[in-house]
Amino acid sequence: MNWNDLCLALFGPAHGIVRDGDVILGTGQIDPEGRHQEPLTVTVVGTTDHAPIGVETALAQAAVVLDTIEHHPGRPILLLVDTQGQRLRHRDELLCINRYMAHLGCCVDLARRRGHRVIGLVYDQALSGGFITSGLMADACYALPEAEIRVMRLPAMSRVTKISEDVLEQLSQSNPVFAPGVSNYVAMGGIEAIWRDDLRQCLRDALQNPNVQDLRAEHGAARGGRALAADIVQRVLAA
Amino acid sequence: MNAHTSFAELSARQRVQAMVDVGTFKEFLGPSQRVVSPHLAALGVPYAFDDGAVIGSGTLNANAVLIAAQEGEFMGGGVGEVHGAKLTGLFRRALRDRPAAVLVLAESGGVRLHEANAGLIAVSEVMRALLDVRAAGIPVLMLIGGANGCFGGMGLIAGCADFVVMSDAARMSMSGPEVIESSHGVEEFDARDRALVWRTTGGKHRYLMGDCDRLVEDDVAAFRSAALDLLGQCKQPGAKQPMTLESLRQAHARLQERIENVGDCKDATDIWQRLGVAHPERVGDMEAAEIQALVAREQA
């Protein structure tokens, strides 16, 4: 889905969200369900056009999160994810891009700690490093049904792992850890749920979910997509 | 004084044992428990009884610490479901046991592609568990000295720690040079140019830029003494505190200034020159101590 269509669906035509290069940012308002309450303002920040996340892109998003923490305590933050992953350039490596991306993750983490509800939404494409430090650092991350989430496509994975594509294709039917796809990420607990139909209502519901603990491993076990992680954490605690 | 022992040449388990006080390492979920990756087994790929992650407790000069080490010889230290959950479990345990510090001897190419989806989620789980530990005021140290460096998701995890210690032979970044070369050509990044690779992501460059807090020789004793030094520093009044809006604002400003000041440089030597290093062409031949002295002079 196009970012503007998404913002229209979430916040209506009066939303104040704009595009600046690859970054989208601004605020939207959402009517709460109770008639007597004021509309709720939500900070929106993310990327579009399958943006590569370079040092500037990471920093621009971090700035929006920090501004929200400083000037609007408690305001919810919606992270919109559409990225091809980290920018693959010599310059980014030279400048230590992992620090820039980690900084974005640390800003999102601080917002959560300071009581901001932080929601991630993969509305188009989420790939590896660009996703880890945004949507995956939220209280909960959701996805649209047509979104694509992956580390690597199967042909490339086949080349790297030297395992035939046929074998990988077969395994991916039974085991979500191998294959791309939103439903696999739901099964593994990495995506809380898929948003369908009334997106505004989905956002309202997500904002009201009070959980701030990281329960993704538990969800992965309960949903059958990631059987071991939660158990291993418990065994380390018990060792 | 012990004879020099290369950190890079030791296995993960040997590194852990060399870091903590003699005889104090107690491993959690060690190889005898055979906690293996079922995903590698399903692929018919060799698996390891510790899934390439060694975790446990010990003391460092009588300070209780929790410690992890990644085995670069196994899947390049890649983070899969089990490997990642062991690290997350260690950080959760730190919240409960409140050690003086958590030490991670990182050596990893990042997410293990054989179980990519699980590894991707696991990296973000480690990051959140690590940041919980920092928020509780327990320092997290990353020590990077293995031949595989610290890349991808593990580079992101390192970027969340309080302190990073590197040897001059170690590398830390996001994408390997081969990945960049295959995306944008050899003109963008020649992965076979070892000197270029080292200048771009190596310990000396990271130290001169401020992304690494201590630069040491490839020597286990040097890593241990850097960790002890940082531990002592954490105990001083006014030492590093949990992340705050103010501290992240300062970090943000420094990262912004870096882009403004050196973002147009084509090569690390240009950056070093601009940072005021008198003979940037000599950096490659300098000992870690000489590089540390360079920065001390800058700050004086």
Side-chain angles (χ1 to χ4, degrees):
Chain A
M1 188 183 269
N2 171 286
W3 72 269
N4 195 37
D5 292 341
L6 173 67
C7 291
L8 284 171
L10 289 172
F11 304 112
H15 74 72
I17 299 150
V18 296
R19 175 176 180 167
D20 180 8
D22 284 338
V23 176
I24 45 180
L25 72 166
T27 57
Q29 293 204 321
I30 189 161
D31 297 325
E33 281 171 302
R35 284 174 176 273
H36 304 294
Q37 292 169 7
E38 292 289 304
L40 183 65
T41 301
V42 178
T43 289
V44 177
V45 61
T47 52
T48 187
D49 268 358
H50 304 348
I53 309 297
V55 293
E56 291 88 355
T57 335
L59 220 46
Q61 294 182 81
V64 176
V65 175
L66 290 176
D67 285 346
T68 302
I69 297 172
E70 183 163 343
H71 302 299
H72 307 285
R75 177 179 284 181
I77 299 172
L78 175 64
L79 304 169
L80 296 182
V81 180
D82 177 21
T83 172
Q84 59 181 266
Q86 69 269 19
R87 189 161 63 195
L88 301 173
R89 291 288 183 181
H90 172 264
R91 172 175 175 268
D92 291 279
E93 299 289 300
L94 194 56
L95 294 173
C96 204
I97 181 175
N98 55 308
R99 279 288 304 282
Y100 286 78
M101 296 178 77
H103 173 66
L104 170 59
C106 290
C107 292
V108 171
D109 189 78
L110 183 73
R112 291 194 308 98
R113 259 171 235 289
R114 302 263 300 232
H116 297 255
R117 180 82 188 150
V118 183
I119 303 295
L121 175 64
V122 182
Y123 70 99
D124 197 322
Q125 175 182 287
L127 232 109
S128 64
F131 184 33
I132 291 176
T133 56
S134 68
L136 286 177
M137 292 302 283
D139 286 309
C141 190
Y142 299 83
L144 299 185
E146 66 272 23
E148 187 184 357
I149 308 177
R150 62 184 160 86
V151 177
M152 195 174 255
R153 290 201 176 89
L154 285 190
M157 198 164 152
S158 168
R159 276 198 304 278
V160 174
T161 60
K162 298 179 177 62
I163 296 162
S164 82
E165 234 182 291
D166 291 345
V167 173
L168 287 175
E169 181 65 47
Q170 268 183 350
L171 281 165
S172 66
Q173 304 299 322
S174 57
N175 190 336
V177 308
F178 298 115
V182 172
S183 56
N184 284 337
Y185 275 81
V186 173
M188 288 184 297
I191 293 290
E192 176 76 17
I194 295 174
W195 283 6
R196 296 178 197 279
D197 306 323
D198 186 346
L199 299 183
R200 200 175 303 184
Q201 188 57 43
C202 292
L203 177 58
R204 266 193 211 107
D205 293 344
L207 291 172
Q208 277 170 7
N209 180 344
N211 175 53
V212 295
Q213 300 298 313
D214 189 351
L215 297 174
R216 290 175 291 181
E218 285 79 2
H219 291 165
R223 298 170 187 174
R226 208 156 45 115
L228 293 175
D231 178 55
I232 285 168
V233 169
Q234 289 308 315
R235 287 177 66 182
V236 174
L237 287 169
Chain B
M1 189 74 189
N2 290 334
H4 167 97
T5 306
S6 162
F7 183 94
E9 287 170 18
L10 297 183
S11 70
R13 200 162 279 100
Q14 289 171 322
R15 286 175 191 167
V16 163
Q17 275 158 351
M19 282 298 291
V20 299
D21 300 336
V22 175
T24 64
F25 179 61
K26 181 191 168 215
E27 186 164 353
F28 309 143
L29 303 196
S32 64
Q33 308 214 21
R34 304 196 171 192
V35 183
V36 304
S37 166
H39 313 303
L40 296 179
L43 290 169
V45 170
Y47 51 84
F49 288 149
D50 58 11
D51 204 38
V54 179
I55 59 167
S57 63
T59 64
L60 190 61
N61 248 16
N63 298 283
V65 296
L66 292 179
I67 185 164
Q70 296 175 298
E71 178 52 66
E73 293 287 313
F74 178 67
M75 314 288 310
V79 179
E81 177 175 0
V82 171
H83 184 115
K86 286 175 84 172
L87 297 178
T88 298
L90 192 73
F91 283 113
R92 297 263 174 90
R93 191 170 169 126
L95 273 186
R96 184 191 70 194
D97 294 356
R98 304 197 65 86
V102 181
L103 277 58
V104 180
L105 315 184
E107 179 172 2
S108 177
V111 170
R112 184 188 296 169
L113 291 171
H114 300 73
E115 36 191 300
N117 299 343
L120 191 73
I121 299 169
V123 166
S124 70
E125 287 171 333
V126 175
M127 282 174 69
R128 281 186 60 173
L130 184 162
L131 292 170
D132 283 342
V133 168
R134 284 195 64 180
I138 301 162
V140 178
L141 279 61
M142 288 282 153
L143 301 108
I144 306 169
N148 290 281
C150 178
F151 283 86
M154 208 58 212
L156 297 175
I157 291 168
C160 293
D162 290 84
F163 298 106
V164 173
V165 178
M166 293 177 75
S167 67
D168 58 356
R171 294 176 297 134
M172 172 178 72
S173 200
M174 193 65 212
S175 310
E178 295 82 5
V179 175
I180 294 178
E181 186 185 305
S182 68
S183 296
H184 289 105
V186 69
E187 304 79 15
E188 177 71 23
F189 201 162
D190 183 352
R192 283 168 308 173
D193 185 341
R194 292 177 63 92
L196 172 68
V197 168
W198 170 84
R199 287 201 299 280
T200 306
T201 60
K204 284 177 182 167
H205 177 55
R206 293 300 180 228
Y207 182 74
L208 288 169
M209 293 272 276
D211 298 311
C212 159
D213 301 278
R214 289 282 188 286
L215 182 70
V216 298
E217 298 295 335
D218 175 27
D219 178 359
V220 282
F223 272 97
R224 185 179 145 95
S225 102
L228 274 168
D229 184 38
L230 291 168
L231 213 59
Q233 190 178 313
C234 290
K235 290 180 177 172
Q236 299 298 317
K240 281 203 175 181
Q241 296 294 314
M243 276 184 273
T244 60
L245 177 61
E246 194 189 6
S247 73
L248 284 180
R249 280 280 188 208
Q250 287 167 357
H252 194 93
R254 281 195 300 274
L255 292 171
Q256 184 68 52
E257 279 166 19
R258 176 183 299 180
I259 294 175
E260 287 158 14
N261 293 341
V262 301
D264 62 323
C265 290
K266 298 281 180 257
D267 191 280
T269 45
D270 303 333
I271 294 182
W272 302 337
Q273 185 147 39
R274 205 169 286 178
L275 291 175
V277 175
H279 296 285
E281 73 285 356
R282 284 180 43 214
V283 164
D285 298 324
M286 289 183 185
E287 305 272 313
E290 289 177 79
I291 302 282
Q292 301 237 25
L294 272 181
V295 172
R297 273 202 301 279
E298 294 286 313
Q299 288 166 347

